[in-house]
Amino acid sequence: MKYLEEFQNPELARRLLDEIRATVTRPWALMEVCGGQTHTIIRHGIDQLLPDEVELIHGPGCPVCVTPLEVIDKALEIAARPDVIFCSFGDMLRVPGSDRDLFQVRSQGGDVRVVYSPLDALKVAQQNPHREVVFFGIGFETTAPPNAMTVHQARKLGIRNFSLLVSHVRVPPAIEAIMTSPSCRVQAFLAAGHVCSVMGMGEYPELADRFQVPIVVTGFEPLDILEGIRRTVRQLERGEHTVDNAYPRAVRSEGNPAAQAMLADVFEVTDRSWRGIGTIPDSGWRLAERYRDHDAEYRFSVGGITTREPAACRSGEVLQGLIKPHECEAFGTTCTPRSPLGATMVSSEGACAAYYLYRRLGITPTPQEASPVA
């Protein structure tokens, strides 16, 4: 298969669904840990086309969504300073902090700029040597390498007015936290292919063995996800719990050694707080000591900012797979994309945004209304 359309073929989707139906004999709960996969599932109605025995649980796979409120507040504090140019990807600008967002900071005079790469922010720093330039570095293992490279370049080039506000998180510790939760119902995982394309699959076999769960590395198109589900259900029915690569066109078992080397040089593993979930040990990165001069949290002394999540927002339960978005009382009423209570309604990868965008409001279509892959 060479072209994207081939991974959205309705006839192939029907065949995979038929194989899943022929394999499954009892209920299973699978969690995808990727916001992009969640949006594909909801957009194409994959969860509604599966047999009733297969339930998909949406996990904490959206990088914007898991960024904790206190980090957003640190960003807002830094961005409001008159000597700062604050650079960020666009999807962070509407994520609500305790009392405002980055759009409001910009409307109040803050120099907040949307960039498309951390290297764009580094260029801004070169062009404005008398201003402090901060890039908001968030995300999983996929966005960490370019951010690490940018800090490495800033140090190499002697660009002292550039710093990174870091909120990077790691998937394997999150899987461990999910599986050790007393309320866990997850029996298998669809692992995010882009994460594994960077980090490889070396951290997953120990988790699969310890928790007796299959972990299948999966892509992002409808057929990718259906194939991942097919392999997962087959393992569950056989009583197996291995790590399987269903995305070999992009993922090698060893990952990307060059990216891993850059991460090891620039970052060090640390505990991280996840929005709505809490602190997960060893679940994130921070800048290593030799790069501390480029750490915005250290440079602007905002490390002491702490906050509490709003009680009306149940995004933490959504991120843990405890509820579906439409089961939150605020969903679609007091919480919408235009007036969000939490990041899961703002982000382009958020589960709440997917449910709202594709009108998944708790109404299940009849079989006649459902269609395999639009």
Side-chain angles (χ1 to χ4, degrees):
M1 293 186 181
K2 297 180 180 179
Y3 306 105
L4 189 61
E5 291 81 3
E6 292 180 301
F7 293 92
Q8 300 179 357
N9 185 299
E11 181 56 37
L12 293 178
R14 290 188 185 94
R15 292 181 192 176
L16 286 169
L17 285 164
D18 288 343
E19 287 192 45
I20 294 168
R21 292 190 189 98
T23 303
V24 68
T25 63
R26 53 194 173 116
W28 301 110
L30 289 58
M31 174 177 279
E32 83 274 2
V33 194
C34 171
Q37 291 175 348
T38 299
H39 271 252
T40 296
I41 289 166
I42 302 305
R43 176 186 177 186
H44 295 281
I46 291 173
D47 57 329
Q48 296 177 328
L49 295 169
L50 291 168
D52 292 340
E53 293 87 350
V54 180
E55 178 187 2
L56 295 181
I57 300 175
H58 316 310
C62 163
V64 174
C65 304
V66 302
T67 303
L69 187 61
E70 64 187 50
V71 174
I72 303 299
D73 283 352
K74 290 173 184 177
L76 296 170
E77 167 67 23
I78 294 170
R81 301 192 182 193
D83 60 329
V84 168
I85 300 174
F86 194 87
C87 298
S88 172
F89 295 139
D91 55 0
M92 293 303 299
L93 268 63
R94 293 194 62 246
V95 178
S98 294
D99 57 4
R100 54 182 172 168
D101 59 30
L102 284 168
F103 266 128
Q104 290 171 298
V105 169
R106 186 162 71 176
S107 71
Q108 294 163 0
D111 195 342
V112 177
R113 305 186 187 183
V114 173
V115 295
Y116 299 96
S117 161
L119 289 172
D120 292 343
L122 188 61
K123 186 179 294 185
V124 172
Q126 289 176 300
Q127 295 168 344
N128 296 270
H130 303 298
R131 303 276 302 278
E132 291 288 337
V133 176
V134 179
F135 179 72
F136 200 177
I138 71 156
F140 291 96
E141 294 92 331
T142 41
T143 55
N147 290 343
M149 173 59 78
T150 304
V151 173
H152 177 83
Q153 284 291 101
R155 186 169 182 260
K156 179 180 178 180
L157 297 173
I159 303 174
R160 300 182 179 276
N161 64 322
F162 175 83
S163 58
L164 191 71
L165 180 60
V166 183
S167 185
H168 280 301
V169 289
R170 302 172 57 239
V171 171
I175 290 177
E176 180 175 8
I178 289 165
M179 291 307 301
T180 54
S181 170
S183 55
C184 176
R185 298 190 298 112
V186 180
Q187 297 165 291
F189 288 92
L190 302 177
H194 49 18
V195 170
C196 294
S197 71
V198 175
M199 303 304 295
M201 302 187 296
E203 294 182 274
Y204 293 104
E206 188 273 334
L207 293 169
D209 287 341
R210 180 158 39 121
F211 297 110
Q212 304 282 287
V213 292
I215 300 177
V216 178
V217 179
T218 309
F220 310 94
E221 295 302 317
L223 295 188
D224 289 324
I225 292 172
L226 286 170
E227 172 63 8
I229 294 169
R230 185 189 70 83
R231 295 190 187 200
T232 304
V233 170
R234 183 175 61 185
Q235 281 203 48
L236 289 167
E237 290 286 336
R238 293 176 177 177
E240 299 172 350
H241 49 272
T242 64
V243 178
D244 187 12
N245 183 8
Y247 196 40
R249 70 180 187 275
V251 174
R252 298 179 299 175
S253 60
E254 70 275 16
N256 185 327
Q260 294 168 27
M262 181 58 63
L263 290 171
D265 176 59
V266 175
F267 290 125
E268 60 187 23
V269 173
T270 186
D271 300 345
R272 274 285 171 203
S273 176
W274 295 53
R275 181 185 282 254
I277 297 175
T279 299
I280 302 177
D282 296 332
S283 66
W285 281 301
R286 65 183 177 190
L287 288 173
E289 182 65 36
R290 59 185 169 278
Y291 292 97
R292 196 57 49 84
D293 288 344
H294 293 284
D295 189 333
E297 186 171 329
Y298 172 80
R299 179 175 293 191
F300 295 97
S301 302
V302 294
I305 293 178
T306 58
T307 54
R308 297 181 62 183
E309 301 285 344
C313 180
R314 300 179 68 185
S315 61
E317 294 170 83
V318 172
L319 291 168
Q320 295 176 74
L322 300 178
I323 64 171
K324 296 292 194 294
H326 60 72
E327 294 173 330
C328 173
E329 296 80 2
F331 176 80
T333 55
T334 57
C335 181
T336 69
R338 293 181 65 88
S339 57
L341 291 178
T344 48
M345 183 61 87
V346 176
S347 171
S348 60
E349 293 191 0
C352 295
Y355 273 59
Y356 190 92
L357 176 63
Y358 301 115
R359 311 309 295 166
R360 190 68 67 80
L361 308 178
I363 302 171
T364 303
T366 65
Q368 291 76 22
E369 295 171 324
S371 172
V373 189

